[in-house]
């Protein structure tokens, strides 16, 4: 919040784009854990974007997939190789446990996933459900 008459400082302008399939596929997940996975992925995307950018959320039925993409800084191949290593973080005060948590939850639910930056400049976190 800000005082009356003063502009907001450190305002992030992130546009969320949803492309959701018409069908609602049913997947078996612990909803509390999966909610935390989504929060972590979207928070990472927003932090990567910084002040202004886009987050795209897309779903499909065949295959049953959720993709969260962002227009942030991107991930180099060197960093990509280390992303799911314990205690590795690109953030100054990061603890390196967020992606480990995501990996464990998704793996235990039989999901496959990937996180990388593509030639179009978008960084995509894709989750394929069993």
């Amino acid at each position: 919040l800000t005082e009356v008459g003063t502009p907001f400082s450190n305002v992030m302008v992130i546009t969320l784009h949803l492309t959701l399939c018409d069908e609602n596929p049913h997947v078996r997940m612990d909803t509390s854990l999966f909610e935390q996975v989504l929060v972590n992925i979207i928070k990472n995307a927003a932090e990567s974007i910084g002040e202004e950018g886009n987050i795209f959320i897309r779903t499909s039925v065949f295959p049953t997939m959720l993709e969260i993409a962002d227009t942030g800084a991107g991930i180099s191949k060197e960093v990509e190789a280390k992303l799911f290593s314990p205690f590795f973080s690109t953030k100054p005060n990061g603890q390196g446990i967020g992606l480990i948590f995501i990996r464990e939850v998704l793996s235990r639910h039989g999901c496959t996933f990937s996180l990388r930056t593509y030639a179009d400049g978008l960084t995509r976190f894709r989750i394929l459900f069993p």
Side-chain angles (χ1 to χ4, degrees), residues 72-109:
I75 303 168
S76 70
K77 291 295 181 192
E78 297 78 28
V79 169
E80 184 181 314
K82 300 175 188 176
L83 280 177
F84 292 93
S85 300
F87 310 113
F88 173 78
S89 180
T90 59
K91 300 173 189 172
N93 297 317
Q95 298 176 5
I97 58 173
L99 288 176
I100 298 299
F101 171 78
I102 291 169
R103 180 188 71 192
E104 289 303 309
V105 170
L106 295 178
S107 295
R108 289 179 186 216
H109 286 86

Side-chain angles (χ1 to χ4, degrees), residues 2 9-11 17-19 22 27 29 32 36 38 47-48 57 62 78 82 85 96 98 112 114 120-121 125-127:
T2 186
S9 61
N10 298 326
V11 173
H17 305 268
L18 299 175
T19 307
D22 292 333
V27 295
M29 299 286 292
S32 295
Q36 191 59 50
L38 291 178
E47 289 173 351
S48 173
I57 299 176
F62 302 108
E78 297 78 28
K82 300 175 188 176
S85 300
T112 56
S114 63
D120 63 3
F125 198 116
R126 284 188 181 146
I127 302 169

Side-chain angles (χ1 to χ4, degrees), residues 7-63:
F8 286 101
S9 61
N10 298 326
V11 173
M12 295 174 62
V13 180
I14 297 176
T15 305
L16 186 63
H17 305 268
L18 299 175
T19 307
L20 307 177
C21 57
D22 292 333
E23 298 178 47
N24 275 331
H26 293 278
V27 295
R28 297 184 70 86
M29 299 286 292
D30 179 308
T31 55
S32 295
L33 290 175
F34 192 65
E35 179 181 343
Q36 191 59 50
V37 164
L38 291 178
V39 166
N40 284 343
I41 294 170
I42 294 169
K43 182 175 179 250
N44 285 347
E47 289 173 351
S48 173
I49 289 170
E51 292 182 17
E52 187 173 348
N54 297 286
I55 294 176
F56 303 90
I57 299 176
R58 180 173 68 100
T59 61
S60 68
V61 176
F62 302 108

